[in-house]
Amino acid sequence: MGTANKQQIFLIFRWLPALFIVGCSWYLSSQETIAHMPRFWNADKLVHCICFAGLAFWVAFGIGTKVRVHKQIILSTIIVSLYGIIDELHQSYTPGRESSVFDWLSDTLGAGIGSVVFAAACTWMCARTTATIKKLLHSDIHRVWHIVTSLDEYTWRSTIHTIERVNNSTADTVGKQFVEYDATGYATTFTITAVVPYARWELDMENDNIKGHWIGIFTQCGEQTEISFTEHVVAKKILLKPFIKSYLKKQQAQYVADLEKELAARRRL
């Protein structure tokens, strides 16, 4: 299946939740009475507001995040508000039901709330998660640098199965890429963005779940070396967002533990 077809299918699926809510709303608007409605004052206005907030949320989802946030909020609010007018007109032809300007105002208020909630959720999703680990290693900076930046000697890393160079890339060339594969074959692509020998190494990184930037700082402290590794990551999937911080911390701790073990092994040689 081509990329264009996949994108079209994904676009259709993006709009399914909103279309489902519209279908349910249209069905309920066709009923003379609705059972189990709340009985408190202006309960129907609250129901309208909540339902149309949900609809606006999924309409904004259908529109997607390529549109600027303020335009997304305005567009989804207008679309849902216009549907509110159609819904009220539809109710006016249903026996036992009537249209109301106040119902439409509740629809529009809900549309605005739902649109803003979606925009806030997207902003939260796009916020970077940062994790940093620092460690003083009992080894000179040259040895630490060569171990960390080597694309050939990686068997000391317990979480990596293999590293594949892209176009015979080297660790000291900005713009070059390499791909790391874990034991399951899951790939993460790295692009070298900055190299200051024995001082700084920076990489862009991306896989199916995350996208971000890695910064490694190396500082000579007498006969020891201080490392400071920082990752700035954005989760691509909303369900992963709450777990990204702990995942990065765990990966960093394992990396440093493996590095210390390798340095200790080389000192014994």
Side-chain angles (χ1 to χ4, degrees):
M1 183 181 294
T3 302
N5 290 334
K6 288 182 179 179
Q7 290 177 344
Q8 290 176 353
I9 292 173
F10 181 67
L11 180 62
I12 293 172
F13 274 97
R14 288 182 70 95
W15 283 96
L16 283 182
L19 293 174
F20 175 77
I21 295 175
V22 167
C24 291
S25 170
W26 194 264
Y27 170 78
L28 292 173
S29 295
S30 302
Q31 307 305 303
E32 294 185 15
T33 58
I34 300 177
H36 309 299
M37 279 286 290
R39 299 299 179 187
F40 55 85
W41 181 72
N42 273 338
D44 63 320
K45 305 298 184 292
L46 178 61
V47 171
H48 273 264
C49 186
I50 293 173
C51 291
F52 276 73
L55 175 58
F57 182 94
W58 290 110
V59 166
F61 177 78
I63 293 171
T65 56
K66 293 183 179 181
V67 179
R68 289 183 179 272
V69 173
H70 69 281
K71 289 184 178 180
Q72 183 189 68
I73 292 173
I74 293 172
L75 187 58
S76 56
T77 300
I78 290 175
I79 290 173
V80 174
S81 180
L82 290 175
Y83 172 71
I85 294 175
I86 296 172
D87 186 55
E88 290 302 314
L89 290 174
H90 175 225
Q91 284 189 70
S92 68
Y93 291 98
T94 302
R97 304 290 294 276
E98 60 181 17
S99 61
S100 166
V101 172
F102 295 106
D103 283 351
W104 172 72
L105 290 175
S106 298
D107 297 341
T108 303
L109 175 62
I113 293 172
S115 300
V116 170
V117 168
F118 181 82
C122 287
T123 301
W124 175 72
M125 265 294 296
C126 293
R128 297 191 308 177
T129 298
T130 300
T132 300
I133 189 169
K134 294 184 178 182
K135 190 72 175 181
L136 189 63
L137 303 173
H138 301 288
S139 184
D140 69 273
I141 197 168
H142 293 83
R143 174 171 288 181
V144 174
W145 173 268
H146 287 301
I147 292 176
V148 171
T149 61
S150 175
L151 301 182
D152 298 312
E153 299 177 7
Y154 51 80
T155 55
W156 57 273
R157 294 179 59 186
S158 60
T159 59
I160 294 298
H161 180 262
T162 187
I163 294 179
E164 175 188 333
R165 298 184 184 211
V166 178
N167 296 325
N168 295 318
S169 60
T170 58
D172 60 354
T173 306
V174 173
K176 293 295 186 179
Q177 292 184 318
F178 60 93
V179 183
E180 292 185 352
Y181 296 90
D182 66 12
T184 65
Y186 191 76
T188 301
T189 300
F190 293 84
T191 303
I192 301 168
T193 59
V195 180
V196 180
Y198 312 112
R200 190 181 191 94
W201 199 40
E202 294 190 32
L203 313 164
D204 283 339
M205 56 186 181
E206 184 172 6
N207 58 34
D208 292 339
N209 293 323
I210 62 172
K211 182 177 182 179
H213 190 71
W214 184 93
I215 303 172
I217 304 296
F218 303 76
T219 306
Q220 184 75 53
C221 300
E223 296 182 354
Q224 303 181 81
T225 302
E226 182 186 68
I227 57 171
S228 176
F229 296 158
T230 300
E231 291 176 276
H232 302 291
V233 170
V234 175
K236 291 184 176 181
K237 300 174 183 177
I238 191 168
L239 294 179
L240 297 178
K241 178 67 174 179
F243 308 104
I244 287 294
K245 185 82 169 184
S246 59
Y247 170 77
L248 293 178
K249 288 289 187 182
K250 180 180 178 181
Q251 291 293 101
Q252 288 177 335
Q254 185 62 60
Y255 184 95
V256 171
D258 290 344
L259 179 57
E260 288 184 304
K261 185 177 179 181
E262 176 66 12
L263 288 170
R266 295 196 183 196
R267 284 197 299 269
R268 290 193 295 267
L269 295 178

